[in-house]
Amino acid sequence: MTDRFTVRSPVTGAPVGEHPVHGPEDVRAAVGRARAAARDWSACGWAGRRARLLSWKRSLARRMDEVASLIRAETGKPRHDARAEVLLALVHLDWAARNARRVLGRRRVPAGPLSVHQRALVGYRPLGVIGVIGPWNYPLYTPMGSIGYALAAGNAVVFKPSELTPGVGELLARSFAEAVPGHPALLQTVTGHGPTGEALARSGVDKVAFTGSPGTARKVAAVCAERLTPMLAECGGKDAVLVDASADLDEAAEAIVWGALANAGQTCAGVERVYAVASVHAELCARIVHRVRALHPGPDPDSPYGPLILPAQLTTVERHMKEALAAGAHAAYGGPASLRPPYVHPVVLVNVPEDSPAMREETFGPLVAVNAVADLDEAVARANAGTYALGAAVFTADRRRGLAVAERLASGAVSVNSVLGFAAVPALPFGGSADSGHGRIHGAEGLRSFAAPHSLTVRRFRPPVDLTSFTSSRRRAERAVELGRRLHARW
């Protein structure tokens, strides 16, 4: 008999649901079913897959309240946040379905003068079965960046959601089967703890898409390395906001507060560090504090934000805050009394030493550090000094300067005069480097992440000099090569 585990509300501790613990045999069986389903899915063609995915999208849109209620039950998020998460997932699923053929469909490319006799084509083929390992902070939106794009590219998916939010994963697979009859094994969910994810990585899937901590990513990567299974990893961030002296401080403060506190700070591309030019630092801090005073987390459906979903995260937030204060930082708002499990009330720190964990490690809680810098050059240097490189933002009255600064930031995505501006733009790729992971989801690059390029040539006529034949005149072949050399030497 399959073991089961209980999911509990992070707000009340009451049971939310029971789910099976899928072992290696269960996972292998799911992957086997998915491989057979992938062949049928591939035969549907671009138009067939688009129609079916849009049907699923419309079904999810009609069921928004049902999906959001389950997200809220498993994570404690306010109602609006849960509904907004569903909307973001819909936006990305819609884009992937409508753009897969344009991005991945076969097209002609220039053959070049050396191969003028060839017609050159490139297309993309699905990889087969994708294993998706999802997080608990955005249990629908984040994995949809892999699931929706992988399905649109022609793959089957086996999804292992976080053990804190398995119900959302099960509902996702069930909703697909109901909206797209005839493909029951195309999107399957397996549930359990870490060993279930390990079994999925070891199951022979054709690629693993992982979201989680860098430490866990390294463990998954080690398992993937056993079979040379490719892996896409999104591992969090320590995102910085840079504020120029010319910036609209009200807009900057509003964006910083939302980016730092939304979802209780449990956002991989949320705001954790702020570097403000010294001449506006004090005023910016005052405006940030003014706004956070009005924000009180709680269980009410309309609270500004909810609890820390993972109880152990409270320890990280507490350690970052206390070590920063011990090292000389000042709490402009909040402090140790802000920790009231399962909630953390807003914490704003200033003058935090750059070697403090609050400036170097991912906090993943409603704590933001605001430091002063001499100018934007120093802000860029500090923002780039860490080991994460996921997202960032720049606030300035000069948009051209903002773009120039954005180009100098190592982050994979940067917003000018907003935070997380890229999250709701499905055409933009999302991902980072170093401890933030590697590979991209979303956009054309996100579709290509789940497909393999397929190169084709078709000979149109026999060339005057065939360099791929032993029967060609050596003299004519040498003359052709010399002509090519001269052309390239001059171009």
Side-chain angles (χ1 to χ4, degrees), residues 397-464:
D398 185 341
R399 283 180 289 179
R400 184 172 297 179
R401 187 183 188 197
L403 284 171
V405 171
E407 290 285 351
R408 296 167 57 196
L409 291 166
S411 304
V414 183
S415 299
V416 177
N417 291 334
S418 71
V419 296
L420 287 161
F422 43 80
V425 183
L428 287 176
F430 178 70
S433 58
D435 280 354
S436 289
H438 55 82
R440 295 294 184 269
I441 57 173
H442 303 168
E445 286 77 4
L447 285 167
R448 295 189 189 107
S449 291
F450 300 106
H454 188 219
S455 301
L456 297 167
T457 56
V458 180
R459 195 165 90 157
R460 302 187 297 131
F461 56 84
R462 184 177 181 84

Side-chain angles (χ1 to χ4, degrees), residues 220-402:
V220 175
V223 174
C224 288
E226 295 173 4
R227 294 173 176 257
L228 295 182
T229 302
M231 174 181 167
L232 186 158
E234 195 273 276
C235 305
K238 191 69 183 175
D239 291 12
V241 172
L242 286 61
V243 182
D244 187 28
S246 67
D248 183 318
L249 296 186
D250 282 321
E251 287 192 1
E254 186 65 32
I256 289 165
V257 169
W258 183 85
L261 303 185
N263 203 36
Q266 299 164 117
T267 302
C268 58
V271 176
E272 297 207 359
R273 298 179 291 162
V274 179
Y275 295 112
V277 172
S279 60
V280 298
H281 177 261
E283 183 59 30
L284 177 66
C285 289
R287 298 184 190 207
I288 290 172
V289 169
H290 173 73
R291 285 164 172 78
V292 301
R293 287 186 189 280
L295 301 178
H296 306 286
D300 188 86
D302 296 319
S303 296
Y305 64 88
L308 292 190
I309 301 165
L310 180 66
Q313 201 62 32
L314 283 159
T315 302
T316 300
V317 176
E318 182 177 27
R319 176 173 63 86
H320 285 194
M321 176 175 51
K322 288 185 174 179
E323 288 192 21
L325 294 173
H330 168 67
Y333 187 81
S338 297
L339 277 72
R340 307 172 202 172
Y343 302 98
V344 176
H345 289 247
V347 178
V348 181
L349 302 179
V350 298
N351 301 323
V352 182
E354 288 295 316
D355 60 354
S356 170
M359 302 302 287
R360 309 290 294 181
E361 302 172 8
E362 187 173 42
T363 303
F364 228 55
L367 180 155
V368 63
V370 189
N371 281 359
V373 291
D375 50 34
L376 286 183
D377 289 338
E378 183 183 355
V380 169
R382 290 195 181 188
N384 286 342
T387 60
Y388 290 96
L390 187 57
V394 181
F395 281 83
T396 175
D398 185 341
R399 283 180 289 179
R400 184 172 297 179
R401 187 183 188 197

